[in-house]
Amino acid sequence: MKLSTLIASLFILSTVNTALGQCRTFVKNNCKADLAGYVPGENFNAAKFMPGDQAELSMTMYSGQDYRLLICGQKNIPAVEFEVLDAEQNVLFNNTENEMVNHFDFRVAGTQNLLVRIKVPGKSNPSGISPQGCVAIMLGTKML
């Protein structure tokens, strides 16, 4: 491996680690309060997004549990749109039809996988100077 390739790889890895660290700090300081009354899951799902970016995440939900799905985005990007779909692609919840709330409280009748789709509305700026911010997908289970 060439030295320049190694240096470039190390730079990319350090940039990703820095971005994740910034997202972790954002989540800790700005999102956890919205999960009050719920125990946060152990998985951390956050990334930097710009207008026009989209992502999907499959999550397993267990029968008999009360959940809160929280989508938390930084204020410097547009409000994040999200929807929750079942295995047959039926939309169970869409926040654009519910006053752009940042969470969805629910209970599933049986254990199943749900798909969470998120989107930061808008278009990326061709100049490359679009706002960028962390978006976190958090899942909590109701405390007894």
Side-chain angles (χ1 to χ4, degrees):
M1 181 184 289
K2 290 183 176 181
L3 182 59
S4 61
T5 304
L6 179 62
I7 291 171
S9 297
L10 290 174
F11 175 75
I12 290 170
L13 286 174
S14 69
T15 302
V16 168
N17 284 337
T18 300
L20 281 177
Q22 290 171 349
C23 283
R24 284 185 193 279
T25 301
F26 164 73
V27 168
K28 181 179 175 185
N29 294 335
N30 298 279
C31 303
K32 286 201 175 191
D34 289 337
L35 277 179
Y38 292 82
V39 177
E42 294 180 14
N43 292 336
F44 178 80
N45 298 296
K48 291 274 190 172
F49 281 78
M50 296 186 324
D53 286 347
Q54 301 180 55
E56 293 183 347
L57 179 66
S58 179
M59 304 178 100
T60 302
M61 307 299 165
Y62 297 97
S63 175
Q65 295 281 336
D66 290 314
Y67 290 101
R68 172 168 283 179
L69 174 68
L70 173 67
I71 310 299
C72 185
Q74 285 183 302
K75 302 288 185 216
N76 62 319
I77 57 174
V80 179
E81 298 174 358
F82 75 95
E83 60 184 3
V84 179
L85 300 96
D86 66 13
E88 288 80 39
Q89 299 292 306
N90 297 309
V91 176
L92 305 175
F93 181 82
N94 185 326
N95 77 328
T96 62
E97 298 169 358
N98 291 279
E99 301 177 6
M100 293 299 289
V101 297
N102 69 345
H103 67 277
F104 173 45
D105 296 337
F106 63 99
R107 173 184 275 235
V108 293
T111 298
Q112 60 184 296
N113 286 327
L114 298 180
L115 182 68
V116 179
R117 274 191 196 141
I118 62 170
K119 176 183 175 184
V120 177
K123 295 181 181 177
S124 291
N125 188 333
S127 69
I129 310 176
S130 295
Q132 191 179 95
C134 289
V135 176
I137 301 173
M138 301 175 72
L139 186 67
T141 53
K142 186 119 179 152
M143 294 189 303
L144 299 176

